[in-house]
Amino acid sequence: MSISLFGFKIIEISQKQQDDLGIKVQKTITVDSITLGPYNAKVTLDKKDIISIGSNVDAVVKDIYVAKLEHVKKGQKLLSLESNELLNLQEKYIKALIESENIQTIYQRDEKLQKQGIISDKKFLESLEKKQSSDLIVKLSANELLSSGFSVDMLNRIQKNHQPIMKINILAPKDALIDKIDVNIGEKVESNRSMLRIFADGDRYIELSIPVKVIENISLGDKCVFDSYIAKVTAIGNIVNDESQSVNVRAKIQNSKNIMINRVYSANIEKK
């Protein structure tokens, strides 16, 4: 310790001399981080990862292949349906395909005959118009099936064998957890009614309500610590809740595998 008396000589005092004279010196402590909290933190997921599975047409549930809380892989069968509406659309599509194939054969014949000068240009143009019209009908029929839940693979199957698909399998669009099953085998479901709800695998977040007087101390990238998890602040709201006078904060959880959706934790926010 050094003491300067009236701007003159600097006197060095050792720690022992300080102790003997009863001089107490406040030590400076360097703080690497500060902790705010704790606050309640609820585990959530993006809305895009909450997926409702339904049918685009009226149908009857024939089989259910999964159970609630089961984890499924992308492309795995969830349930199967039978639908008179889909059968009618398929029959329409098959009829259009057969007619188009016949017209295509006639068109190819007329094209050769026109090049050989055996038929007139007018006759060939009539054949071309019929081909274009039939192609359009096939395309429109295919679009009807696609908009009703058919896949391109299913269309290809019908094109290949001209046979309707009696039972339609509904497949998981992503790796996911089955959250809810709202139908039973044999039940008739109307179009656009939700049959299952799944939580797709993906990023998980915690949402916290932070008092207004504290929110100015929080920044994007700050670390949230709870249980054995760590999350980083990715969004800070700018709307204050009237009743609680708090602001919503969202943080992305690192290594969130197996964490429970909607569970509430006690979380601290650490700032460096």
Side-chain angles (χ1 to χ4, degrees):
M1 174 180 178
S2 299
I3 298 178
S4 176
L5 297 176
F6 306 108
F8 294 100
K9 185 176 181 180
I10 296 176
I11 303 173
E12 296 287 342
I13 302 178
S14 67
Q15 183 63 53
K16 184 177 183 306
Q17 289 173 322
Q18 293 179 47
D19 295 339
D20 291 342
L21 294 172
I23 299 174
K24 294 184 178 179
V25 179
Q26 185 175 4
K27 295 182 179 179
T28 301
I29 300 174
T30 302
V31 178
D32 294 330
S33 64
I34 60 172
T35 300
L36 304 173
Y39 305 105
N40 286 338
K42 183 178 179 180
V43 179
T44 63
L45 67 167
D46 272 339
K47 288 185 178 180
K48 66 178 177 60
D49 290 326
I50 303 174
I51 302 173
S52 179
I53 306 294
S55 172
N56 293 335
V57 295
D58 293 349
V60 175
V61 179
K62 299 304 293 182
D63 290 292
I64 300 174
Y65 303 106
V66 294
K68 185 177 179 180
L69 302 183
E70 180 180 348
H71 194 273
V72 296
K73 294 292 185 181
K74 180 179 179 179
Q76 183 175 332
K77 284 196 296 186
L78 302 178
L79 48 79
S80 62
L81 306 173
E82 285 186 0
S83 168
N84 289 333
E85 185 175 343
L86 280 178
L87 284 175
N88 291 335
L89 289 175
Q90 290 181 79
E91 290 174 1
K92 179 180 176 182
Y93 181 57
I94 292 169
K95 182 180 178 181
L97 282 173
I98 293 172
E99 185 172 350
S100 177
E101 290 167 1
N102 292 334
I103 291 175
Q104 176 70 19
T105 299
I106 295 172
Y107 168 77
Q108 290 174 345
R109 181 202 64 190
D110 289 348
E111 186 178 31
K112 291 179 181 178
L113 294 176
Q114 188 263 348
K115 288 179 179 179
Q116 295 171 0
I118 298 175
I119 64 172
S120 65
D121 291 345
K122 180 179 179 181
K123 178 70 175 177
F124 172 69
L125 288 175
E126 289 175 357
S127 182
L128 175 61
E129 288 175 359
K130 288 181 180 180
K131 175 186 175 301
Q132 292 173 337
S133 177
S134 67
D135 289 345
L136 179 60
I137 292 172
V138 168
K139 186 175 181 179
L140 292 174
S141 297
N143 286 339
E144 282 186 299
L145 285 170
L146 290 172
S147 64
S148 298
F150 258 55
S151 67
V152 174
D153 287 342
M154 294 166 74
L155 284 179
N156 290 337
R157 283 173 57 187
I158 297 177
Q159 290 174 6
K160 185 176 180 180
N161 57 32
H162 291 174
Q163 294 295 321
I165 299 172
M166 304 303 294
K167 189 161 63 173
I168 310 301
N169 292 322
I170 305 298
L171 309 179
K174 295 181 177 181
D175 292 356
L177 178 76
I178 304 297
D179 175 59
K180 185 187 293 186
I181 300 175
D182 285 331
V183 291
N184 296 306
I185 294 175
E187 183 177 350
K188 182 177 180 180
V189 292
E190 296 179 350
S191 61
N192 298 319
R193 175 192 159 182
S194 176
M195 297 183 291
L196 294 92
R197 186 174 70 182
I198 64 175
F199 291 159
D201 291 354
D203 294 331
R204 299 293 184 258
Y205 300 84
I206 53 170
E207 293 185 354
L208 311 91
S209 292
I210 307 298
V212 173
K213 62 182 180 181
V214 179
I215 198 68
E216 63 183 13
N217 297 315
I218 296 175
S219 306
L220 296 178
D222 285 350
K223 184 166 65 174
C224 300
V225 180
F226 61 101
D227 200 57
S228 60
Y229 298 97
I230 294 175
K232 286 194 174 182
V233 175
T234 57
I236 301 172
N238 59 1
I239 300 176
V240 178
N241 183 287
D242 287 339
E243 296 181 359
S244 64
Q245 286 297 292
S246 61
V247 176
N248 287 336
V249 171
R250 198 181 205 207
K252 182 179 176 181
I253 304 171
Q254 301 174 1
N255 300 321
S256 60
K257 187 177 181 181
N258 298 326
I259 197 167
M260 296 182 182
I261 306 299
N262 294 330
R263 180 173 175 179
V264 177
Y265 291 89
S266 180
N268 290 313
I269 300 177
E270 294 183 357
K271 292 186 63 67
K272 287 189 176 182

